[in-house]
Amino acid sequence: MPEWLENLMPNVASYMDKFGESLSATFQMFLISGLFTFLFGGVFGILLTVTRRGGIMENPVIYQIVDKVTNIFRSIPFIILLIFLIPFTRLITGTAIGVRGAIVPLIFGATPFFTRQVEAALAGVDPGKVEAATAMGSGKAGIIFRVYLHEAVPELIRAVTITSISLIGLTTMAGAVGAGGIGSFAINYGQNLHHQDIVNVCVIVLLIFVSLVQSIGNALAKRTTNHSLFQKKY
Amino acid sequence: MIEISHVSKTFTAKENNVAAVKDVSLSIEDGKVYGIIGYSGAGKSTLVRCINFLEKPDSGSITLSGFGTVTARDGKLYYTAEGDSSETVLSEKKLRSLRSGIGMIFQHFNLLERNTVYENVAYTLQYSGMKKDEIRKRVLEMLDLVDLRDKIASYPSELSGGQKQRVAIARALANNPKILLSDEATSALDPQATASILSLLRDLNKRLGLTIVLITHEMAVVKEICERVAVMEDGAVVEEGLVYDIFADPVQPITRKFVESSNGMGNLQKLIEQNESLLDKSRNSVLLRCLYGRDAVGDALISEVSRKYAVNMNIVLANVEMLQGSPLGELVVSITGDSGNIDAAIAYMRNSNVKVEVIADARMA
Ligand SMILES: Nc1ncnc2c1ncn2[C@@H]1O[C@H](COP(=O)(O)OP(=O)(O)OP(=O)(O)O)[C@@H](O)[C@H]1O
Ligand SMILES: [Mg+2]
């Protein structure tokens, strides 16, 4: 670290190792729980879309179950969810603390949010397109992948973007209850030890990360609106 | 042949049920352009969507030559193969093969916005086991057919309405269906694009022997390309026949309205109201509507009759339609003169294959 930076934030410099560990913990939480959130939320969002009334695989039972469960988990505040899920988390990952302990509640916290985002993105696909595909003899899978998901790509990118950003927020909250990561670093080494520079750096790092996610998301969404991601040559 | 037999469809809502299609039977010959006309809510779309089962009929059956018969009963669809008599539940696979044999185009095109023109046209070909170069060959062929080869890499958002509909037509015909359903395909287009799409459809009908079922609410469209037409009102087909015959002799009031709306004769009633001198009560004056077709010549007849019977004939409105290559003329004339001569003149015209209708008669007043 250059000298001037060291002078600017002396405490960060002396806890550099801890800071690095925290960053890596946050990234691990973010990536692993993000992966599962997008997977599960995607599947549930598609389920809601195809099983709703007038959907291509109308099924009131499945729809009601997914819809209600999503609503229930959406309405529980994350801090409560963290505590509520402790026994379940232990069962799945063997521990309720550290990064591994945080993954399960993070997935439960973000999936309902992402599910609704996906549902809304797919609802934005003109039913006329689905109808045209049906009329051409397209099957269910064809309609889901080639019409719904493909046409909704820009909206899905926006959904991934804001879910990612809110997931970053959730990881810092999980940190507050012992999961480690940048959130707990800010509290334990910044706030508790009265090192304001540590808190400031945490804020800046999060700000940079969030802006980065947001601008990549925006650019990709814009690029894929009424357009394929890559240039097509014929 | 598309044989629609006793098809009914009711939409059930909480409060009220809508009988969208009521016991409709029609047969549509192969290679013909068949029009279905009616006002909004008449059930046209619902009926046509029953042909490819986008809508499941409550009852009735649809027979497609080369495929077989699908019968709707108790909320289920049953399939009978051509020349067979045993009935099985219509499988998903069979339904999809039926749909592959029927192309469909829509008012709002329904193209995939994130796909290029090429990918849109290739939709039914991709993932169908067809080889890549074969797909390419077929897509290029289709794009040549609709004259859009230069737009191959464009996206729908970069095309005009008329061009979008051309892409939709190419997409609908890519895997060689024998039937094309067109649901208000020109309703969102300006007159010029409408004309070009209609002439493309006529061309495809001639060149590929494509059967076209065309929904519209404009008689002008029917006049332009249909051979037969069914008029729908309130879920039922109220009149059906050759377009020429429907124009020459519309029976139902709604059919008359459609015919009049397309030829300017709809203004007649207004003209009479505004222009009382048309009917000169002081003299013997009669207002006639004359229809003459393939085997009569209207205008020449007017001068002939007025000379022969010493009556005065004034042409108020005149209109000639070309329907499927045959002329159909319509004249509104006011005729004045001796009462007996007027009657004789009318009788003479009726004998010369002119359909004469007395619209107003001052002698009766
Ligand atoms: N999915 C549906 N659910 C309930 N009612 C419907 C549905 N589709 C159509 N209807 C009703 O059925 C009737 C016929 O509709 P349809 O769309 O077939 O009419 P249309 O002749 O095609 O009219 P337009 O010219 O406006 O397209 C209307 O009263 C309509 O409200
Ligand atoms: Mg309609």
Side-chain angles (χ1 to χ4, degrees), chain A residues 2 14 114 155 163 194 196 220 222:
Chain A
S14 44
F114 189 63
E155 290 308 318
T163 304
H194 305 290
Q196 186 60 36
L220 282 177
K222 193 169 171 213

Side-chain angles (χ1 to χ4, degrees), chain A residues 53 126-129 131-140 142-143 146-147 149-154 224-234, chain B residues 14 49 52 54 92 96 99-100 102 104 106 108-116 118-119 122-124 126-127 136 152-153 155 157-158 171-172 175:
Chain A
R53 253 190 65 171
D126 183 349
K129 292 174 185 169
E131 184 162 277
T134 309
M136 286 188 283
S138 203
K140 314 281 185 221
I143 290 169
R146 302 177 70 194
V147 181
L149 293 177
H150 193 265
E151 282 294 294
V153 161
T224 53
T225 300
N226 294 337
H227 206 284
S228 163
L229 182 58
F230 304 107
Q231 195 67 42
K232 298 279 167 77
K233 281 249 167 19
Y234 297 104
Chain B
K14 280 194 196 86
R49 291 156 53 86
N52 59 359
L54 285 179
E92 180 74 18
R96 285 176 60 185
R99 285 173 174 161
S100 308
I102 304 176
M104 188 165 192
F106 307 84
H108 295 113
F109 323 121
N110 296 341
L111 297 174
L112 296 177
E113 234 61 55
R114 292 196 59 251
N115 281 348
T116 58
Y118 181 96
E119 291 166 322
Y123 187 91
T124 52
Q126 283 168 342
Y127 306 100
R136 189 183 157 78
I152 189 164
Y155 287 88
S157 60
E158 300 160 355
R171 175 176 75 167
N175 64 353

Side-chain angles (χ1 to χ4, degrees), chain B residues 4-9 21-26 59-60 235-237:
Chain B
I4 300 171
S5 174
H6 301 288
V7 165
S8 296
K9 171 77 187 176
V21 174
K22 300 176 194 161
D23 192 31
V24 169
S25 299
L26 287 177
S59 58
V237 170

Side-chain angles (χ1 to χ4, degrees), chain B residues 10 16 32 35 38 56 70 137 153 179 187 193 220 250 262 275 286 308 323-324 329 333 347 354:
Chain B
T10 300
N16 53 334
K32 294 285 162 72
K56 195 197 278 178
V70 178
K137 195 167 146 254
I179 299 167
S187 298
S262 80
N275 211 336
V286 180
K308 203 162 181 168
L323 295 166
Q324 307 295 302
V333 295
V354 176

Side-chain angles (χ1 to χ4, degrees), chain B residues 247-282:
Chain B
F247 267 84
D249 189 14
V251 177
Q252 299 294 327
I254 180 176
T255 315
R256 276 169 179 265
K257 254 192 195 158
F258 273 120
V259 169
E260 282 168 6
S261 72
S262 80
N263 65 9
M265 289 294 165
N267 299 328
L268 186 61
Q269 212 52 43
K270 241 185 270 166
L271 202 70
I272 295 172
E273 279 161 22
Q274 286 168 3
N275 211 336
E276 286 171 4
S277 65
L278 270 185
L279 216 55
D280 190 344
K281 296 208 173 61
S282 60

Side-chain angles (χ1 to χ4, degrees), chain A residues 53, chain B residues 9-13 16-21 36-49 55 107 183-184 187 215-217 232 234-235:
Chain A
R53 253 190 65 171
Chain B
K9 171 77 187 176
T10 300
F11 290 105
T12 40
N16 53 334
N17 294 349
V18 182
V21 174
I36 296 178
I37 191 167
Y39 291 121
S40 188
K44 311 179 291 291
S45 299
T46 308
L47 175 64
V48 165
R49 291 156 53 86
E55 217 71 81
Q107 180 173 2
D183 191 348
E184 309 260 12
S187 298
I215 297 178
T216 181
H217 56 257
M232 281 192 82
D234 206 11

